[in-house]
Amino acid sequence: MNESSGDPTAVNLYDGNAAAGHPSIGLMRTIRPTFDAYALDGHRDIYNPVDNIVAAVRYATATYGSPEEAVASECGGSCWRGY
């Protein structure tokens, strides 16, 4: 809700990714190359909430070890809290 306001068609046209030609898209704000690399067969619609979440979680797991570790890497430790 904080990033996309719950809108699966949200597109961020204002950050560095957008300036580089890769706007962040969907609920989890994935960029197209990341989405394409981590989407599952049969789940390749970046605007579909389930497809977007699956690709984002697979990316976080591959990059950081788990979604929790992805959050911790952003704040230097244990900082998980809900909105």
PDB file of all heavy atoms in Angstrom, residues 10-29:
ATOM      1  N   ALA A  10      -0.156   0.378 -11.176  1.00  0.00           N
ATOM      2  CA  ALA A  10       0.690   1.536 -10.844  1.00  0.00           C
ATOM      3  C   ALA A  10       2.000   1.488 -11.615  1.00  0.00           C
ATOM      4  O   ALA A  10       2.597   0.427 -11.783  1.00  0.00           O
ATOM      5  CB  ALA A  10       0.966   1.561  -9.346  1.00  0.00           C
ATOM      6  N   VAL A  11       2.432   2.651 -12.069  1.00  0.00           N
ATOM      7  CA  VAL A  11       3.713   2.784 -12.766  1.00  0.00           C
ATOM      8  C   VAL A  11       4.406   4.018 -12.199  1.00  0.00           C
ATOM      9  O   VAL A  11       3.833   5.104 -12.182  1.00  0.00           O
ATOM     10  CB  VAL A  11       3.516   2.944 -14.287  1.00  0.00           C
ATOM     11  CG1 VAL A  11       4.857   3.122 -14.984  1.00  0.00           C
ATOM     12  CG2 VAL A  11       2.768   1.760 -14.870  1.00  0.00           C
ATOM     13  N   ASN A  12       5.632   3.850 -11.723  1.00  0.00           N
ATOM     14  CA  ASN A  12       6.403   4.958 -11.177  1.00  0.00           C
ATOM     15  C   ASN A  12       7.264   5.541 -12.297  1.00  0.00           C
ATOM     16  O   ASN A  12       8.217   4.917 -12.742  1.00  0.00           O
ATOM     17  CB  ASN A  12       7.286   4.489 -10.023  1.00  0.00           C
ATOM     18  CG  ASN A  12       8.075   5.617  -9.401  1.00  0.00           C
ATOM     19  OD1 ASN A  12       8.149   6.712  -9.922  1.00  0.00           O
ATOM     20  ND2 ASN A  12       8.668   5.329  -8.261  1.00  0.00           N
ATOM     21  N   LEU A  13       6.929   6.740 -12.715  1.00  0.00           N
ATOM     22  CA  LEU A  13       7.649   7.383 -13.808  1.00  0.00           C
ATOM     23  C   LEU A  13       8.659   8.413 -13.324  1.00  0.00           C
ATOM     24  O   LEU A  13       9.186   9.184 -14.115  1.00  0.00           O
ATOM     25  CB  LEU A  13       6.647   8.057 -14.754  1.00  0.00           C
ATOM     26  CG  LEU A  13       5.651   7.110 -15.416  1.00  0.00           C
ATOM     27  CD1 LEU A  13       4.620   7.899 -16.207  1.00  0.00           C
ATOM     28  CD2 LEU A  13       6.362   6.105 -16.306  1.00  0.00           C
ATOM     29  N   TYR A  14       8.941   8.419 -12.007  1.00  0.00           N
ATOM     30  CA  TYR A  14       9.728   9.508 -11.442  1.00  0.00           C
ATOM     31  C   TYR A  14      11.036   9.112 -10.771  1.00  0.00           C
ATOM     32  O   TYR A  14      11.752   9.984 -10.314  1.00  0.00           O
ATOM     33  CB  TYR A  14       8.865  10.284 -10.437  1.00  0.00           C
ATOM     34  CG  TYR A  14       7.594  10.778 -11.068  1.00  0.00           C
ATOM     35  CD1 TYR A  14       6.386  10.149 -10.822  1.00  0.00           C
ATOM     36  CD2 TYR A  14       7.614  11.856 -11.947  1.00  0.00           C
ATOM     37  CE1 TYR A  14       5.217  10.593 -11.423  1.00  0.00           C
ATOM     38  CE2 TYR A  14       6.457  12.308 -12.549  1.00  0.00           C
ATOM     39  CZ  TYR A  14       5.264  11.671 -12.286  1.00  0.00           C
ATOM     40  OH  TYR A  14       4.102  12.102 -12.881  1.00  0.00           O
ATOM     41  N   ASP A  15      11.378   7.836 -10.698  1.00  0.00           N
ATOM     42  CA  ASP A  15      12.614   7.455 -10.003  1.00  0.00           C
ATOM     43  C   ASP A  15      13.742   7.188 -10.996  1.00  0.00           C
ATOM     44  O   ASP A  15      13.584   7.363 -12.202  1.00  0.00           O
ATOM     45  CB  ASP A  15      12.378   6.259  -9.075  1.00  0.00           C
ATOM     46  CG  ASP A  15      12.024   4.969  -9.805  1.00  0.00           C
ATOM     47  OD1 ASP A  15      12.014   4.951 -11.054  1.00  0.00           O
ATOM     48  OD2 ASP A  15      11.782   3.972  -9.123  1.00  0.00           O
ATOM     49  N   GLY A  16      14.879   6.781 -10.471  1.00  0.00           N
ATOM     50  CA  GLY A  16      16.040   6.499 -11.306  1.00  0.00           C
ATOM     51  C   GLY A  16      15.816   5.385 -12.302  1.00  0.00           C
ATOM     52  O   GLY A  16      16.353   5.420 -13.416  1.00  0.00           O
ATOM     53  N   ASN A  17      15.029   4.389 -11.920  1.00  0.00           N
ATOM     54  CA  ASN A  17      14.724   3.307 -12.862  1.00  0.00           C
ATOM     55  C   ASN A  17      13.956   3.845 -14.059  1.00  0.00           C
ATOM     56  O   ASN A  17      14.244   3.491 -15.199  1.00  0.00           O
ATOM     57  CB  ASN A  17      13.914   2.206 -12.180  1.00  0.00           C
ATOM     58  CG  ASN A  17      14.728   1.387 -11.222  1.00  0.00           C
ATOM     59  OD1 ASN A  17      15.882   1.094 -11.476  1.00  0.00           O
ATOM     60  ND2 ASN A  17      14.139   1.027 -10.100  1.00  0.00           N
ATOM     61  N   ALA A  18      12.980   4.705 -13.804  1.00  0.00           N
ATOM     62  CA  ALA A  18      12.201   5.288 -14.896  1.00  0.00           C
ATOM     63  C   ALA A  18      13.096   6.138 -15.794  1.00  0.00           C
ATOM     64  O   ALA A  18      12.984   6.079 -17.025  1.00  0.00           O
ATOM     65  CB  ALA A  18      11.046   6.113 -14.337  1.00  0.00           C
ATOM     66  N   ALA A  19      13.984   6.909 -15.188  1.00  0.00           N
ATOM     67  CA  ALA A  19      14.903   7.747 -15.967  1.00  0.00           C
ATOM     68  C   ALA A  19      15.788   6.900 -16.873  1.00  0.00           C
ATOM     69  O   ALA A  19      16.181   7.345 -17.956  1.00  0.00           O
ATOM     70  CB  ALA A  19      15.757   8.600 -15.031  1.00  0.00           C
ATOM     71  N   ALA A  20      16.078   5.668 -16.437  1.00  0.00           N
ATOM     72  CA  ALA A  20      16.904   4.752 -17.226  1.00  0.00           C
ATOM     73  C   ALA A  20      16.077   3.957 -18.231  1.00  0.00           C
ATOM     74  O   ALA A  20      16.605   3.101 -18.932  1.00  0.00           O
ATOM     75  CB  ALA A  20      17.658   3.803 -16.300  1.00  0.00           C
ATOM     76  N   GLY A  21      14.763   4.222 -18.276  1.00  0.00           N
ATOM     77  CA  GLY A  21      13.897   3.537 -19.230  1.00  0.00           C
ATOM     78  C   GLY A  21      13.224   2.294 -18.701  1.00  0.00           C
ATOM     79  O   GLY A  21      12.653   1.528 -19.465  1.00  0.00           O
ATOM     80  N   HIS A  22      13.294   2.077 -17.380  1.00  0.00           N
ATOM     81  CA  HIS A  22      12.699   0.891 -16.769  1.00  0.00           C
ATOM     82  C   HIS A  22      11.816   1.303 -15.591  1.00  0.00           C
ATOM     83  O   HIS A  22      12.217   1.147 -14.434  1.00  0.00           O
ATOM     84  CB  HIS A  22      13.778  -0.070 -16.264  1.00  0.00           C
ATOM     85  CG  HIS A  22      14.757  -0.480 -17.301  1.00  0.00           C
ATOM     86  ND1 HIS A  22      14.446  -1.341 -18.317  1.00  0.00           N
ATOM     87  CD2 HIS A  22      16.045  -0.125 -17.500  1.00  0.00           C
ATOM     88  CE1 HIS A  22      15.498  -1.506 -19.087  1.00  0.00           C
ATOM     89  NE2 HIS A  22      16.486  -0.776 -18.614  1.00  0.00           N
ATOM     90  N   PRO A  23      10.629   1.823 -15.843  1.00  0.00           N
ATOM     91  CA  PRO A  23       9.783   2.246 -14.717  1.00  0.00           C
ATOM     92  C   PRO A  23       9.377   1.060 -13.849  1.00  0.00           C
ATOM     93  O   PRO A  23       9.248  -0.064 -14.329  1.00  0.00           O
ATOM     94  CB  PRO A  23       8.571   2.872 -15.397  1.00  0.00           C
ATOM     95  CG  PRO A  23       8.519   2.248 -16.747  1.00  0.00           C
ATOM     96  CD  PRO A  23       9.958   1.989 -17.130  1.00  0.00           C
ATOM     97  N   SER A  24       9.196   1.325 -12.585  1.00  0.00           N
ATOM     98  CA  SER A  24       8.728   0.304 -11.642  1.00  0.00           C
ATOM     99  C   SER A  24       7.227   0.128 -11.850  1.00  0.00           C
ATOM    100  O   SER A  24       6.490   1.111 -11.916  1.00  0.00           O
ATOM    101  CB  SER A  24       9.006   0.752 -10.212  1.00  0.00           C
ATOM    102  OG  SER A  24      10.383   1.027 -10.051  1.00  0.00           O
ATOM    103  N   ILE A  25       6.781  -1.131 -11.912  1.00  0.00           N
ATOM    104  CA  ILE A  25       5.400  -1.434 -12.290  1.00  0.00           C
ATOM    105  C   ILE A  25       4.764  -2.381 -11.288  1.00  0.00           C
ATOM    106  O   ILE A  25       5.397  -3.306 -10.797  1.00  0.00           O
ATOM    107  CB  ILE A  25       5.358  -2.085 -13.697  1.00  0.00           C
ATOM    108  CG1 ILE A  25       5.934  -1.119 -14.740  1.00  0.00           C
ATOM    109  CG2 ILE A  25       3.959  -2.527 -14.074  1.00  0.00           C
ATOM    110  CD1 ILE A  25       6.138  -1.735 -16.100  1.00  0.00           C
ATOM    111  N   GLY A  26       3.481  -2.177 -11.026  1.00  0.00           N
ATOM    112  CA  GLY A  26       2.666  -3.119 -10.267  1.00  0.00           C
ATOM    113  C   GLY A  26       2.746  -2.974  -8.765  1.00  0.00           C
ATOM    114  O   GLY A  26       3.338  -2.041  -8.236  1.00  0.00           O
ATOM    115  N   LEU A  27       2.125  -3.924  -8.077  1.00  0.00           N
ATOM    116  CA  LEU A  27       2.035  -3.875  -6.618  1.00  0.00           C
ATOM    117  C   LEU A  27       3.396  -3.821  -5.945  1.00  0.00           C
ATOM    118  O   LEU A  27       3.601  -3.084  -4.986  1.00  0.00           O
ATOM    119  CB  LEU A  27       1.265  -5.085  -6.082  1.00  0.00           C
ATOM    120  CG  LEU A  27      -0.226  -5.120  -6.347  1.00  0.00           C
ATOM    121  CD1 LEU A  27      -0.821  -6.385  -5.744  1.00  0.00           C
ATOM    122  CD2 LEU A  27      -0.918  -3.896  -5.807  1.00  0.00           C
ATOM    123  N   MET A  28       4.330  -4.601  -6.433  1.00  0.00           N
ATOM    124  CA  MET A  28       5.640  -4.697  -5.796  1.00  0.00           C
ATOM    125  C   MET A  28       6.683  -3.813  -6.478  1.00  0.00           C
ATOM    126  O   MET A  28       7.853  -3.861  -6.134  1.00  0.00           O
ATOM    127  CB  MET A  28       6.107  -6.149  -5.778  1.00  0.00           C
ATOM    128  CG  MET A  28       5.158  -7.098  -5.068  1.00  0.00           C
ATOM    129  SD  MET A  28       4.971  -6.746  -3.322  1.00  0.00           S
ATOM    130  CE  MET A  28       6.478  -7.436  -2.711  1.00  0.00           C
ATOM    131  N   ARG A  29       6.256  -3.044  -7.449  1.00  0.00           N
ATOM    132  CA  ARG A  29       7.136  -2.102  -8.144  1.00  0.00           C
ATOM    133  C   ARG A  29       8.378  -2.769  -8.703  1.00  0.00           C
ATOM    134  O   ARG A  29       9.500  -2.352  -8.463  1.00  0.00           O
ATOM    135  CB  ARG A  29       7.513  -0.943  -7.233  1.00  0.00           C
ATOM    136  CG  ARG A  29       6.359  -0.087  -6.811  1.00  0.00           C
ATOM    137  CD  ARG A  29       5.758   0.616  -8.026  1.00  0.00           C
ATOM    138  NE  ARG A  29       4.677   1.491  -7.653  1.00  0.00           N
ATOM    139  CZ  ARG A  29       4.752   2.804  -7.650  1.00  0.00           C
ATOM    140  NH1 ARG A  29       5.845   3.397  -8.019  1.00  0.00           N
ATOM    141  NH2 ARG A  29       3.714   3.520  -7.289  1.00  0.00           N
TER     142      ARG A  29
END
